[in-house]
């Protein structure tokens, strides 16, 4: 058999799946591929020595050997005519590879399966998840970028305690009312009740600002720019979703104080641009920068800006990250004042801004397909995986050495690469495994590649294959990774743009909402009208609301009316259901 025949067959999804054929009372069950089982393959390929791992011919009454993802075999009885009067269900072979549902058919189940494949592990407390190394690496890459950028802005890192006293938490009325349902409380120490319950931070404004009032005395103490990388807890909610909606999550939160509103306004937009870069330049997810409505702004703040993503499969928006101008409200509550150059006592202007591990969930939803995760190269902990493709009588050691040398060359050039030399899995199994994990680029090396001093590259985003001379491999791989990153963004942007629908009337709004569109509508910018829209669209799938009013406003012709109230429209605003 030729190297190309072996390469194509070992990676074929139809061969990797369970194959059943019945003839003369016999049933052939194909479980998985392996180099060691070539002799059994003649039943399917008469002239080719294709390797099929654990191929067994059995009568219907016999026992079926099943091999799971762990490699351990489980004995499963098949019920025959004398099986106690009750027939057992047909045994379905499980390989541990491949998704059981398609993204377009059952998005929720699909998302859960993709997340469970080395991204998270479910914990025994509802709404809490273990972040496994594969997802934690993505967070660390984004953290490295963002941390370096805010340090250029003279922001310093710090850490404040997890616990909040009730008196401090309740000091800002609007703020605590916005978070009250989500606050978790510590009420016991051992078996004893605490005299005063202690809250666990849902956010840190009330944790930090009593100390800002101590540290800020005069104009020389400003600006004060602090950030902390931490976890927060928001307890009361329904429908937990990994990364998107969890009771505990990781984030960064910046808290800054300035002498003037102009300084605060400038920083709000600087931070928002960094959030756009995280989504578009690192996660390859298109977002819209805009202003939140009065109903949707941060509780107790002056105004809120955000980057908004959109998931075409569900027709839902996602608030990707927020940058708030708090104005002077918190300064008033916590007595954060300074003495200006003329000796007058003034209140500071404050901002807060944050993004969280929700970013990872948005990335998964945007790019994943029916094979699993697709990682943008910039955030992939492994950008390239190198897989040997040996076959019978091939120079296996020579192929393995070539794989190791390839990884070394790529690693020295700053490319995150690994080889998969495990000998207990077939090349086809490895292809599927690394595809599910979303590695952007696969390199295959077989006997013909060794002979021709080349490798074969396979892109995860579009499946394109290419044979590359080893002499120019590093330069070509760098170019490929850049193309993959850009293509993922462009594809996601095209899908998002295809969902945008501009409407003018209520009937058009309802029709677009039912079609899961991202709706751009003229709006009068009145809080009561937004609340009315929510009430009129409330249903099992959630009510529609404003997502943001984009900074880049389309032209609003004179005389344009609000789609919901019929009053003169003041702006264009994105509407839709959201996570």
């Amino acid at each position: 058999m030729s190297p190309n025949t072996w390469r194509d067959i070992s990676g074929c999804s139809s061969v990797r799946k369970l194959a059943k054929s019945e003839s003369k009372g016999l049933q052939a069950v194909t479980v998985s591929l392996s180099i060691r089982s070539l002799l059994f393959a003649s039943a399917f390929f008469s002239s080719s020595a294709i390797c099929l791992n654990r191929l067994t011919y059995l009568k219907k009454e016999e026992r079926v050997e099943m091999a799971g993802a762990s490699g351990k075999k489980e004995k499963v009885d098949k019920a025959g005519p004398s099986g106690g009067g009750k027939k057992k269900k047909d045994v379905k072979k499980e390989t541990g590879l491949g998704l059981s549902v398609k993204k377009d058919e059952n998005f929720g189940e699909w998302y859960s399966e993709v997340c469970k494949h080395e991204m998270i592990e479910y914990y025994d407390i509802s709404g809490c998840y273990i972040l496994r190394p594969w997802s934690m690496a993505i967070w660390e890459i984004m953290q490295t970028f963002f941390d370096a950028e805010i340090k250029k802005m003279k922001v310093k890192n710090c850490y404040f305690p997890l616990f909040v006293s009730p008196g401090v938490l309740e000091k800002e009325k609007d703020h605590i009312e916005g978070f009250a349902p989500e606050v978790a409380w510590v009420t016991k120490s051992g078996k004893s009740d605490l005299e005063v319950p202690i809250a666990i931070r849902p956010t840190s404004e009330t944790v930090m600002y009593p100390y800002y009032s101590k540290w800020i005395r005069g104009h020389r103490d400003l600006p004060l720019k602090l950030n902390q990388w931490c976890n927060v807890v928001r307890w009361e909610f329904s429908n937990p979703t990994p990364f998107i909606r969890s009771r505990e999550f990781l984030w960064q939160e910046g808290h800054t104080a300035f002498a003037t509103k102009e300084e605060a306004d400038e920083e709000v937009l600087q931070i928002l641009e960094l959030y756009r870069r995280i989504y578009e330049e690192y996660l390859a997810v298109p977002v819209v920068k805009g202003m939140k409505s009065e109903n949707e702004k941060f509780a107790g703040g002056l105004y809120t800006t955000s980057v908004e993503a959109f998931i075409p499969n569900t027709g839902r928006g996602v608030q990707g990250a927020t940058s708030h101008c708090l104005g002077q409200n918190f300064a008033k509550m916590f007595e954060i004042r300074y003495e200006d150059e003329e000796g007058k006592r003034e209140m500071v202007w404050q901002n807060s801004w944050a993004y969280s591990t929700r970013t990872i969930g948005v990335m998964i939803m945007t790019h994943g397909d029916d094979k699993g995760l697709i990682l943008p190269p910039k955030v992939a902990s492994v950008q390239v995986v190198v897989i040997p493709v040996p076959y019978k009588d091939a120079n296996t050691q020579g192929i393995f050495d070539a794989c190791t040398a390839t990884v070394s060359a790529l690693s020295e050039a700053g490319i995150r690469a690994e080889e998969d030399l495990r000998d207990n899995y077939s090349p086809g199994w490895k292809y599927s495994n690394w595809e599910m994990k979303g590695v952007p680029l696969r390199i295959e090396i077989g006997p013909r590649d060794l002979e021709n001093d080349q490798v074969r590259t396979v892109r995860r985003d579009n499946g394109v294959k290419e044979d590359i001379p080893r002499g120019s491999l590093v330069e070509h791989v760098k170019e490929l990774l850049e193309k993959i990153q850009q293509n993922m963004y462009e594809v996601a942007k095209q899908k998002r743009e295809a969902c945008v629908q501009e409407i003018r009337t209520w009937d058009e709004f309802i029709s677009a909402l039912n079609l899961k569109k991202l709706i751009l509508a003229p709006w009068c910018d009145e809080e009561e009208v937004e609340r009315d829209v929510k009430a009129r669209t409330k249903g099992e799938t959630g009510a529609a609301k404003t997502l943001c009013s984009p900074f880049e406003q389309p032209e609003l012709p004179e005389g344009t009316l609000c789609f919901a109230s019929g009053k003169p429209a003041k702006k264009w605003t994105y509407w839709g259901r959201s996570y």
Side-chain angles (χ1 to χ4, degrees), residues 420-459:
D420 187 346
L421 304 182
R422 293 175 292 177
D423 60 3
N424 58 327
Y425 293 107
S426 71
W429 190 95
K430 293 177 184 178
Y431 295 169
S432 291
N433 183 48
W434 289 102
E435 283 175 351
M436 282 196 71
K437 294 175 72 169
V439 172
L441 189 65
R442 182 173 79 238
I443 290 179
E444 305 168 4
I445 300 179
R448 192 191 69 171
D449 302 308
L450 203 62
E451 181 181 340
N452 295 336
D453 197 27
Q454 67 179 30
V455 302
R456 171 170 288 186
T457 60
V458 185
R459 290 172 54 163

Side-chain angles (χ1 to χ4, degrees), residues 126-258:
S126 175
C128 297
Y129 308 97
I130 299 166
L131 301 190
R132 299 185 63 182
W134 202 245
S135 59
M136 197 65 191
I138 298 171
W139 179 246
E140 289 174 340
I141 289 169
M142 293 187 292
Q143 182 182 26
T144 298
F145 160 75
F146 189 79
D147 200 62
E149 292 298 319
I150 60 175
K151 282 176 178 174
K152 293 177 186 176
M153 298 169 59
K154 307 296 177 64
V155 178
K156 294 179 172 61
N157 283 326
C158 64
Y159 184 78
F160 280 73
L162 177 69
F163 303 112
V164 193
S165 65
V168 171
L169 185 66
E170 295 167 1
K171 199 164 188 177
E172 210 298 314
K173 182 181 177 183
D174 291 339
H175 179 71
I176 187 55
E177 283 183 356
F179 283 101
E182 300 175 335
V183 177
W185 294 88
V186 179
T187 59
K188 283 183 174 291
S189 172
K191 295 183 179 180
S192 302
D193 292 335
L194 297 180
E195 287 187 19
V196 179
I198 297 173
I200 299 176
R201 63 175 170 227
T203 181
S204 296
E205 281 77 10
T206 56
V207 179
M208 300 172 76
Y209 296 165
Y211 300 92
Y212 278 42
S213 67
K214 293 179 64 176
W215 299 339
I216 297 173
R217 293 299 185 207
H219 63 90
R220 293 181 182 86
D221 298 323
L222 295 173
L224 178 61
K225 301 181 179 183
L226 298 181
N227 174 72
Q228 65 172 351
W229 297 91
C230 62
N231 63 336
V232 290
V233 174
R234 297 181 182 177
W235 197 261
E236 187 66 30
F237 64 83
S238 57
N239 302 319
T241 304
F243 298 113
I244 298 294
R245 192 172 174 83
S246 56
R247 283 187 165 144
E248 180 191 11
F249 54 88
L250 301 179
W251 76 348
Q252 62 72 216
E253 52 176 326
H255 296 270
T256 53
F258 301 90

Side-chain angles (χ1 to χ4, degrees), residues 308-367:
E308 300 286 332
F310 185 77
I311 309 301
N313 295 79
T314 61
R316 291 182 180 272
V318 184
Q319 180 177 283
T322 50
S323 182
H324 316 285
C325 179
L326 302 180
Q328 295 181 310
N329 191 31
F330 285 90
K332 182 179 179 181
M333 292 297 104
F334 291 95
E335 291 293 322
I336 309 174
R337 298 176 181 271
Y338 71 98
E339 188 176 279
D340 68 13
E341 295 178 356
E342 298 177 356
K344 294 171 59 178
R345 298 287 292 171
E346 301 285 354
M347 287 191 297
V348 300
W349 292 84
Q350 291 180 266
N351 292 339
S352 69
W353 27 270
Y355 82 95
S356 74
T357 41
R358 168 176 281 203
T359 50
I360 300 174
V362 176
M363 177 203 69
I364 296 170
M365 290 180 169
T366 300
H367 299 304

Side-chain angles (χ1 to χ4, degrees), residues 383-384 386 401-419 470-471 473-475 477-478 481:
Q383 296 170 313
V384 181
V386 182
D401 291 344
C403 290
T404 301
T406 298
V407 169
S408 296
L410 295 174
S411 298
E412 288 175 6
I415 297 168
R416 298 186 288 272
E418 287 186 10
E419 68 268 50
R470 292 185 65 187
L473 177 63
V474 171
E475 294 78 11
V477 167
K478 285 184 176 180
L481 292 176

